[in-house]
C-alpha cells in the first residue's frame, strides 16, 4: 500500500497563529535546521499516538514561535528557562509528554543552570538542543558554541580563546551526570545524517513515553542567514566543520537497564488533610482551667540567655500553655544568626485582651538565663515587674529595688535532675507557680504535645515540678 | 476548625494546602526558609510536589510551568530572592498565570540583613519586573492572616488569572500565634485554558509574546481593564477606632500591630486617634483612605522603609490634609513610645 505523503497531524493544517497573509509556510529560513527537526518530532508524535498528550515548550530564539505549528498543548517561556518550566508541567501531569526545545544561547548560555539541574534531577522530559553555533533571532551574535575563529556580530575579528574561551560541549557535560538516560549528538547535514536524527528523535521520545526517562538530544544544524551562506553550503558546513568540532554520537545510553520512573503523586483525600497536616485542637479539661478564666492576666515576658539554653522553647511552652488556658498569646523570637551560638531572646505575651504589638520592650517579667541578658534587659523591666534570674550562672544581683526579684539556681537544679538542658523548664515551673498563671496539672499533661524531643518529657515534667517546689519553699 | 499554635511561615503553607495548592517550588533564604521547610514536609504527603530549585529564577519558572498546567502553585522568598524572581513574575503576569508568591521581607538593599523591613514595597506593589503589569498584594499582620490571606490569595489568583503576593515582614513570618484552620476547599476551579496533556487542551497556548504592536497594545489594554476591576472590587482595609478620629495612623504588617497598641495608649490619654491598615496594597485601599481624610486633621504613615508606602498615601490624599511619615530602616522596628511621641509632636505642630 502506498503511503500518502502529507503534513503530520501533529502540525496544524493551517498556521492560524502566524501573523500576516502566509498561513502555510513556517517562519524558518531555507536551510535552517528547525523546520526539519520540527518535522521529525511531529512525525514521531503522530506515529506514537501521543499528540494529545504532548506539551511543547517554545524557548526564546528563532523557535519562539514553534507554537504556530505544533497542534499540541503549547507553552512559550522566558529565555533559558524551558527545562524549569518543563519540570513544573511534568510534575503536574506525569502522563503528559513534555518537550523542552532550546537553542544554543538559550540552553548553553543564559539557561545553563536550568538544564544542568533538570538533567541532574532526571526530569521525565525530552530535551532537544539545536546547536547552530550562532544567535539567530537577535541577529548573529556569538553563541557559547561559536567556533574558534568564527566571525559573528560580537566577535567581529573571530572568536578567540583569549577573550571568549572555548566552545562549550553540552552533550559531553550532560553525559557526565548520573540521571540522564540517553544523550546523543546528531546533525541535520545530509540526508543520511538527517535520517539518523529521525531515529534518535524517536528513541528519545519513546523513552519518555515508556519510561519517563530524561533524554538530551543535541542537534547540529545550520543558520544560513547569519552564516551568510546558501542553504546547501550551510548544510555542508554543518557536516564538515561543525561536526568536526562537536563530535557526533551517543554520549550516554542506559536506556536498556533504566527502570520506568513512577512520577505519580500520593493520593490523599480531602477528609484526611487535617490529620496529615497535624491540625488538631488540643484537648483541655475545662474544669482544670476554670480558675484561670476570670483572671485578668496581662503579662509581657522577655526570655533571654545563651543559644542552646532553651530560651526560645521556654517561650513557646509558656505561650502554648497559655493558649490552652484560653489566654491570647504571641511569641516572637530574635531570629537568625543570633540563634546560632550567640545570645537568644524571645518576647512572649500572655493576656486576656487581644494582643496588638507582639514586641516586648518593657517586660512585666524578665527571665535572664545568663549575665549578658541581665545586663541588657534589667533596666527595661517595668516598675513593679518581676526579674527571674539563674543565680547558678549569673554572678551578680540585679540592682533594681522597684521590682520583685527571684534568684533561682535553675541550672544547678536541672543538673541535680540529671540534665542541664532542663533548666528552662525549672523556670517555667517557677514562673507559673509564682504568678499562678496556669494549672500546673494541665501544663504537665500537655507537655508531651508541645515538646519536640519526646524522650525528655519525663525529665522536663520533673523540672517543672522542681521549679514550682522552689517557689513554694521560698514563699514559706 | 482546628486551633494550632505555630509560626506564620508554617501557617501559610498549611493554609495553602487547605486551599488546594499542591506544588511548591522555592529556594532557601532567611527569614522565609521555614516556608520551604513546611512545604517539604507536607506537600508530598498531601499529594503534591516540593522541589528545592537550583535558583530563585528556576523556582519561579517551575511555578510558571505548574500554573500553565492548571495547578494551584506557590513559591516564597525574601528581598534578594524576589529581585531574582521578577523576570518570571513579569512572564506570569503577561501570560496571565495564577500563582502565589510569599515575600517575607528582610533588610536591604543588597545583602542587607535578615531583620524585618518593609523595603520590598515598591518592588512588589509597583510590579517590579518589566512591562505594564500589576500583581495583587495581600499584607497579613498576624499568623491567622498568614493562613486566611494565603488561602484568599489562591482564590484571587484564579479569579483574575494573575500572580498574587502575600507580602509581610520577617516578624510576621517568624512569630507564633494561635491559628484556627478551616476545612479544606472542596475542589479548585476548573481551568479550561490550561495545558493538561489532553485532547481538549491541545489547542491551548500559554504565552506572553505578541509581535504586532496593535496586538500587544490590545493585550495590555485588556490587562489594564482587569486591574481596574481589581481596583474597584478587591480593596480591603481594617479600620481601628476611626469613628471620631482626628488623627489617622497608617501602617501594614507588623507596624499595624504596633499602631494598634499606640492607638489604645493615646485613646487612654484622650487623643482622638485611629488606625487604617491596608490589607490589600494593590489594590490600594483608596476608598477608606479618601473617606477618612474628610474628617481627619492629618495622617501619619508609619513604615519600615524609606517612605515607599507614604508615597502612595500622598498620591491619594493629593495634599488635602498633611500626610506625615515616621519610619525606621535596617531592621529596626518603631517602638510604641517613638510613635506616641511623634503623634504628640505633630499635634503640637498642627
Amino acid at each position: 500500500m502506498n503511503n500518502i505523503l502529507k503534513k503530520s497531524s501533529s502540525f496544524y493544517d493551517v498556521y492560524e497563529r502566524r501573523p500576516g497573509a502566509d498561513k502555510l509556510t513556517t517562519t524558518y529560513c531555507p536551510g535552517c535546521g528547525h523546520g526539519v527537526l520540527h518535522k521529525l518530532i511531529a512525525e514521531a508524535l503522530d506515529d506514537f499516538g501521543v499528540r494529545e498528550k504532548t506539551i511543547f515548550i517554545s524557548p526564546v530564539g528563532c523557535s519562539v514561535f514553534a507554537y504556530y505549528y505544533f497542534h499540541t498543548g503549547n507553552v512559550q517561556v522566558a529565555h533559558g528557562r524551558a527545562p524549569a518550566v518543563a519540570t513544573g508541567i511534568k510534575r503536574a501531569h506525569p502522563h503528559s509528554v513534555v518537550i523542552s526545545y532550546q537553542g544554543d544561547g538559550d540552553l548553553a548560555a543564559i539557561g545553563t543552570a536550568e538544564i544542568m539541574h533538570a538533567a541532574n534531577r532526571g526530569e521525565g522530559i525530552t530535551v532537544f538542543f539545536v546547536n547552530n553555533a550562532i544567535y539567530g533571532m537577535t541577529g548573529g551574535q556569538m553563541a557559547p558554541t561559536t567556533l574558534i575563529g568564527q566571525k559573528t556580530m560580537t566577535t567581529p575579528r573571530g572568536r578567540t580563546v583569549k577573550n571568549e574561551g572555548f566552545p562549550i560541549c553540552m552533550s559531553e557535560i550532560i553525559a557526565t551526570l548520573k540521571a540522564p538516560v540517553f544523550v546523543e549528538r546528531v546533525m541535520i547535514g545530509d540526508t543520511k545524517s538527517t535520517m539518523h536524527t529521525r531515529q534518535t528523535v524517536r528513541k528519545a521520545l519513546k523513552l519518555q513515553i515508556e519510561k519517563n526517562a530524561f533524554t538530551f538530544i543535541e542537534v547540529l544544524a545550520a543558520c544560513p542567514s547569519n552564516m551568510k551562506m546558501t542553504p546547501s553550503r550551510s548544510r555542508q558546513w554543518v557536516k564538515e566543520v561543525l561536526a568536526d568540532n562537536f563530535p557526533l554520537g551517543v554520549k550516554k545510553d542506559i536506556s536498556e537497564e533504566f527502570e520506568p520512573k513512577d512520577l505519580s503523586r500520593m493520593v490523599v483525600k480531602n477528609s484526611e488533610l487535617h490529620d496529615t497536616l497535624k491540625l488538631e485542637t488540643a484537648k483541655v479539661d475545662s474544669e482544670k482551667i476554670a480558675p484561670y478564666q476570670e483572671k485578668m492576666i496581662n503579662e509581657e515576658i522577655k526570655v533571654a540567655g545563651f543559644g542552646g539554653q532553651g530560651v526560645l522553647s521556654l517561650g513557646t511552652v509558656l505561650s502554648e500553655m497559655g493558649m490552652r488556658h484560653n489566654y491570647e498569646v504571641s511569641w516572637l523570637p530574635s531570629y537568625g544568626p543570633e540563634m546560632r551560638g550567640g545570645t537568644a531572646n524571645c518576647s512572649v505575651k500572655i493576656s486576656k485582651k487581644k494582643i496588638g504589638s507582639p514586641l516586648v520592650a518593657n517586660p512585666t517579667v524578665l527571665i535572664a538565663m545568663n549575665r549578658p541578658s541581665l545586663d541588657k534587659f534589667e533596666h527595661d523591666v517595668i516598675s513593679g515587674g518581676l526579674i527571674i534570674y539563674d543565680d547558678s550562672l549569673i554572678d551578680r544581683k540585679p540592682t533594681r529595688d522597684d521590682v520583685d526579684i527571684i534568684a533561682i539556681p535553675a541550672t544547678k537544679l536541672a543538673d541535680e535532675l540529671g540534665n542541664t538542658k532542663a533548666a528552662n523548664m525549672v523556670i517555667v515551673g517557677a514562673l507559673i507557680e509564682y504568678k499562678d498563671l496556669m494549672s500546673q496539672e494541665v501544663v504537665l499533661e500537655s507537655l508531651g504535645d508541645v515538646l519536640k524531643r519526646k524522650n525528655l518529657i519525663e525529665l522536663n515534667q520533673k523540672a517543672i515540678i522542681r521549679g514550682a517546689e522552689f517557689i513554694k519553699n521560698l514563699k514559706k | 476548625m482546628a486551633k494550632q499554635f505555630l509560626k506564620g511561615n508554617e501557617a501559610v503553607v498549611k493554609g495553602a494546602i487547605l486551599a488546594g495548592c499542591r506544588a511548591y517550588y522555592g529556594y532557601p533564604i532567611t527569614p522565609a526558609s521555614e516556608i520551604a521547610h513546611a512545604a517539604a514536609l507536607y506537600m508530598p504527603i498531601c499529594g503534591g510536589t516540593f522541589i528545592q530549585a537550583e535558583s530563585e529564577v528556576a523556582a519561579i519558572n517551575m511555578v510558571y510551568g505548574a500554573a500553565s498546567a492548571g495547578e494551584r502553585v506557590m513559591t516564597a522568598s525574601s528581598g534578594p530572592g524576589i529581585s531574582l524572581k521578577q523576570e518570571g513574575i513579569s512572564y506570569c503576569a503577561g501570560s496571565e498565570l495564577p500563582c502565589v508568591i510569599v515575600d517575607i521581607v528582610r533588610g536591604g538593599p543588597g545583602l542587607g540583613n535578615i531583620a524585618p523591613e518593609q523595603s520590598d514595597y515598591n518592588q512588589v506593589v509597583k510590579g517590579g519586573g518589566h512591562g505594564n503589569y500589576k500583581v495583587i498584594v495581600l499584607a497579613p499582620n498576624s499568623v491567622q492572616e498568614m493562613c486566611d490571606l494565603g488561602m484568599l490569595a489562591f482564590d484571587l489568583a484564579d479569579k483574575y488569572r494573575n500572580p498574587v503576593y502575600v507580602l509581610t515582614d520577617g516578624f510576621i513570618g517568624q512569630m507564633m500565634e494561635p491559628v484556627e484552620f478551616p476545612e479544606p476547599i472542596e475542589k479548585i476551579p476548573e481551568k479550561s485554558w490550561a495545558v493538561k496533556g489532553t485532547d481538549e487542551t491541545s489547542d491551548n497556548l500559554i504565552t506572553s509574546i505578541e509581535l504586532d504592536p496593535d496586538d500587544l497594545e490590545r493585550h495590555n489594554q485588556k490587562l489594564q481593564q482587569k486591574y481596574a476591576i481589581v481596583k474597584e472590587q478587591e480593596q480591603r482595609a481594617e479600620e481601628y477606632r476611626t469613628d471620631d478620629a482626628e488623627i489617622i495612623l497608617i501602617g501594614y504588617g507588623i507596624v499595624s500591630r504596633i499602631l494598634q497598641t499606640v492607638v489604645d495608649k493615646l485613646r487612654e490619654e484622650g487623643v482622638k486617634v485611629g488606625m487604617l491598615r491596608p490589607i490589600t496594597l494593590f489594590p490600594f485601599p483608596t476608598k477608606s483612605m479618601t473617606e477618612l481624610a474628610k474628617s481627619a486633621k492629618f495622617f501619619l504613615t508609619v513604615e519600615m522603609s524609606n517612605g515607599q508606602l507614604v508615597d502612595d498615601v500622598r498620591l491619594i490624599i493629593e495634599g488635602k490634609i498633611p500626610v506625615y511619615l515616621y519610619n525606621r530602616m535596617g531592621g529596626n522596628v518603631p517602638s510604641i513610645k517613638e510613635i506616641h511621641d511623634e503623634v504628640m509632636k505633630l499635634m503640637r505642630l498642627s
Side-chain angles (χ1 to χ4, degrees):
Chain A
M1 208 169 96
N2 289 330
N3 281 331
I4 300 166
L5 291 175
K6 63 174 183 73
K7 197 189 264 181
S8 157
S9 66
S10 293
F11 283 137
Y12 282 109
D13 273 343
V14 179
Y15 304 140
E16 296 291 352
R17 285 177 179 147
R18 187 183 166 171
D22 180 0
K23 306 283 187 195
L24 294 175
T25 59
T26 71
T27 43
Y28 300 121
C29 308
C32 169
H34 284 306
V36 177
L37 183 57
H38 282 19
K39 208 168 175 175
L40 299 178
I41 294 169
E43 181 206 48
L45 298 179
D46 273 9
D47 291 353
F48 299 146
V50 293
R51 180 196 69 80
E52 297 84 353
K53 292 207 284 184
T54 301
I55 298 169
F56 192 100
I57 302 175
S58 312
V60 168
C62 286
S63 47
V64 65
F65 297 121
Y67 63 80
Y68 288 173
Y69 318 117
F70 283 97
H71 186 190
T72 59
N74 276 288
V75 181
Q76 199 291 313
V77 305
H79 200 23
R81 320 298 175 214
V85 175
T87 299
I89 296 173
K90 185 75 181 189
R91 297 294 182 114
H93 299 304
H95 75 281
S96 64
V97 176
V98 179
I99 296 174
S100 182
Y101 190 105
Q102 297 182 271
D104 41 39
D106 200 83
L107 182 139
I110 200 166
T112 324
E114 285 79 3
I115 188 59
M116 284 300 292
H117 289 272
N120 196 48
R121 287 190 302 268
E123 295 295 338
I125 60 171
T126 309
V127 176
F128 292 111
F129 166 43
V130 177
N131 175 4
N132 56 16
I134 200 156
Y135 280 53
M137 187 175 243
T138 44
Q141 297 84 6
M142 183 193 74
T145 50
T146 289
L147 303 178
I148 301 299
Q150 188 182 334
K151 286 183 181 173
T152 70
M153 295 304 283
T154 48
T155 53
R157 288 164 291 277
R159 179 176 186 160
T160 63
V161 171
K162 188 182 171 192
N163 203 49
E164 289 89 16
F166 294 92
I168 194 164
C169 294
M170 287 308 296
S171 290
E172 283 77 2
I173 293 174
I174 298 296
T176 62
L177 301 173
K178 283 197 172 144
V181 172
F182 175 51
V183 182
E184 184 176 353
R185 183 182 289 120
V186 294
M187 70 171 170
I188 294 169
D190 53 13
T191 308
K192 194 179 161 202
S193 63
T194 304
M195 289 316 283
H196 176 75
T197 299
R198 176 177 177 269
Q199 291 307 322
T200 303
V201 167
R202 296 170 81 85
K203 177 170 176 175
L205 286 169
K206 205 159 182 107
L207 278 167
Q208 181 179 172
I209 296 161
E210 288 174 358
K211 295 188 169 184
N212 277 322
F214 177 89
T215 56
F216 182 94
I217 309 305
E218 177 173 347
V219 182
L220 302 182
C223 179
S225 300
N226 281 302
M227 298 297 294
K228 299 180 176 61
M229 292 174 186
T230 63
S232 56
R233 173 76 192 94
S234 72
R235 292 270 170 106
Q236 209 177 338
W237 181 82
V238 168
K239 201 177 146 189
E240 289 167 6
V241 182
L242 203 54
D244 194 43
N245 282 270
F246 294 99
L248 299 178
V250 174
K251 307 294 169 183
K252 186 180 180 193
D253 186 358
I254 52 165
S255 55
E256 287 292 316
E257 60 266 39
F258 182 74
E259 294 289 329
K261 202 166 167 179
D262 180 11
L263 299 178
S264 58
R265 291 170 168 178
M266 280 179 72
V267 178
V268 181
K269 286 191 202 127
N270 253 5
S271 55
E272 298 164 353
L273 271 185
H274 266 228
D275 284 346
T276 313
L277 290 172
K278 300 197 171 77
L279 299 178
E280 214 181 327
T281 308
K283 286 181 190 67
V284 183
D285 185 338
S286 55
E287 266 180 41
K288 287 178 188 162
I289 60 167
Y292 300 91
Q293 300 311 294
E294 301 305 320
K295 271 180 110 91
M296 282 319 294
I297 296 285
N298 191 15
E299 298 295 349
E300 305 199 358
I301 306 166
K302 177 72 84 179
V303 191
F306 290 122
Q309 278 186 306
V311 164
L312 299 183
S313 56
L314 196 165
T316 56
V317 167
L318 280 177
S319 5
E320 280 227 31
M321 296 306 175
M323 182 179 84
R324 283 166 162 74
H325 288 76
N326 294 330
Y327 296 127
E328 300 286 337
V329 293
S330 69
W331 173 91
L332 181 73
S334 63
Y335 60 86
E338 284 181 80
M339 285 164 65
R340 295 166 199 129
T343 60
N345 74 75
C346 63
S347 298
V348 173
K349 290 203 173 183
I350 302 178
S351 177
K352 264 291 162 198
K353 290 191 299 183
K354 192 169 184 290
I355 293 166
S357 169
L359 289 133
V360 173
N362 299 109
T364 59
V365 179
L366 168 66
I367 296 170
M369 296 186 67
N370 66 2
R371 166 112 190 225
S373 301
L374 183 63
D375 293 348
K376 189 173 175 187
F377 296 113
E378 177 180 355
H379 297 285
D380 296 338
V381 179
I382 61 161
S383 185
L386 169 68
I387 296 175
I388 302 180
Y389 73 104
D390 185 341
D391 69 346
S392 53
L393 294 181
I394 301 173
D395 57 0
R396 76 162 178 91
K397 289 192 172 73
T399 55
R400 296 275 298 266
D401 56 11
D402 60 338
V403 297
D404 291 342
I405 291 170
I406 300 174
I408 178 167
T411 302
K412 188 167 155 273
L413 295 175
D415 281 340
E416 286 166 14
L417 290 169
N419 194 330
T420 310
K421 282 193 188 310
N424 58 350
M425 291 303 124
V426 172
I427 291 178
V428 168
L431 177 65
I432 60 174
E433 175 66 28
Y434 187 82
K435 287 260 182 184
D436 193 22
L437 271 182
M438 308 166 191
S439 147
Q440 194 198 80
E441 213 182 331
V442 170
V443 171
L444 293 176
E445 282 167 5
S446 313
L447 206 57
D449 305 339
V450 173
L451 293 176
K452 282 196 184 111
R453 297 181 63 179
K454 304 296 172 204
N455 56 332
L456 295 180
I457 290 163
E458 209 188 314
L459 169 79
N460 283 313
Q461 284 168 333
K462 281 183 190 159
I464 288 172
I465 295 166
R466 188 69 192 86
E469 277 170 0
F470 181 86
I471 297 297
K472 281 176 195 153
N473 291 334
L474 217 62
K475 282 180 176 170
K476 273 177 197 165
Chain B
M1 283 285 184
K3 194 172 176 183
Q4 258 208 323
F5 180 74
L6 77 178
K7 278 193 175 188
N9 281 346
E10 200 176 338
V12 76
V13 172
K14 291 188 174 184
I17 290 171
L18 295 175
C21 172
R22 290 294 180 276
Y24 182 99
Y25 300 102
Y27 189 86
I29 184 169
T30 311
S33 292
E34 294 86 355
I35 301 180
H37 303 170
L41 188 61
Y42 294 115
M43 274 300 169
I45 56 170
C46 292
T49 294
F50 168 87
I51 294 183
Q52 180 174 327
E54 57 271 26
S55 68
E56 298 280 7
V57 176
I60 191 67
N61 280 283
M62 291 171 186
V63 167
Y64 185 99
S68 300
E71 278 208 288
R72 282 196 161 180
V73 55
M74 74 183 289
T75 185
S77 192
S78 183
I82 296 293
S83 303
L84 284 166
K85 284 187 198 291
Q86 292 288 16
E87 176 204 44
I89 294 165
S90 166
Y91 275 76
C92 288
S95 298
E96 296 192 84
L97 291 175
C99 57
V100 172
I101 305 132
V102 184
D103 182 1
I104 308 294
V105 185
R106 57 187 250 172
L111 205 49
N113 64 25
I114 57 168
E117 244 193 17
Q118 298 184 319
S119 50
D120 282 4
Y121 182 92
N122 278 349
Q123 78 152 338
V124 167
V125 177
K126 308 294 177 182
H130 59 284
N132 306 308
Y133 76 93
K134 284 284 188 185
V135 288
I136 298 169
V137 185
L138 306 176
N141 81 343
S142 66
V143 180
Q144 181 70 54
E145 282 194 354
M146 286 293 274
C147 167
D148 297 347
L149 295 183
M151 293 181 75
L152 174 67
F154 287 97
D155 289 341
L156 293 176
D158 282 340
K159 184 174 174 189
Y160 294 101
R161 277 192 65 179
N162 209 68
V164 178
Y165 269 96
V166 174
L167 177 75
T168 195
D169 47 82
F171 273 169
I172 301 297
Q174 295 291 327
M175 68 188 273
M176 291 175 95
E177 284 181 319
V179 187
E180 288 190 357
F181 287 96
E183 291 302 315
I185 64 154
E186 301 245 323
K187 211 166 159 272
I188 70 165
E190 176 56 30
K191 303 177 188 183
S192 58
W193 50 265
V195 289
K196 299 175 185 172
T198 58
D199 198 15
E200 308 82 72
T201 61
S202 69
D203 277 311
N204 287 353
L205 167 65
I206 308 295
T207 185
S208 62
I209 186 170
E210 292 285 358
L211 268 197
D212 183 86
D214 289 337
D215 289 342
L216 187 55
E217 189 172 48
R218 261 193 298 279
H219 176 57
N220 268 288
Q221 280 163 346
K222 186 187 146 208
L223 292 179
Q224 306 318 309
Q225 281 160 13
K226 174 166 84 176
Y227 306 146
I229 295 170
V230 170
K231 276 187 200 172
E232 189 49 43
Q233 298 192 348
E234 303 298 345
Q235 291 187 20
R236 287 169 172 80
E238 178 197 354
E239 290 186 26
Y240 183 69
R241 302 182 87 165
T242 53
D243 276 354
D244 58 342
E246 293 171 349
I247 300 162
I248 300 293
L249 308 181
I250 298 172
Y252 68 98
I254 188 69
V255 170
S256 64
R257 296 286 293 268
I258 301 166
L259 292 183
Q260 198 179 313
T261 307
V262 174
V263 167
D264 288 345
K265 193 166 152 60
L266 284 164
R267 283 277 177 181
E268 277 171 28
E269 295 167 18
V271 182
K272 287 183 175 172
V273 59
M275 174 186 75
L276 174 69
R277 165 171 82 100
I279 295 173
T280 51
L281 294 169
F282 180 81
F284 204 61
T286 56
K287 292 176 193 169
S288 13
M289 216 163 266
T290 325
E291 200 52 41
L292 289 172
K294 285 179 186 163
S295 48
K297 284 183 184 155
F298 67 84
F299 282 4
L300 171 63
T301 301
V302 183
E303 58 182 287
M304 284 149 58
S305 44
N306 63 337
Q308 300 184 24
L309 172 67
V310 78
D311 279 354
D312 277 350
V313 179
R314 284 176 178 150
L315 266 178
I316 302 308
I317 301 308
E318 294 178 310
K320 286 180 195 116
I321 56 167
V323 177
Y324 300 108
L325 166 69
Y326 185 79
N327 69 325
R328 295 295 304 266
M329 291 176 286
N332 281 320
V333 184
S335 71
I336 294 162
K337 184 173 183 306
E338 283 167 37
I339 303 167
H340 173 274
D341 293 353
E342 184 69 14
V343 173
M344 300 310 275
K345 187 185 94 188
L346 292 169
M347 280 171 65
R348 284 194 298 274
L349 284 176
S350 61

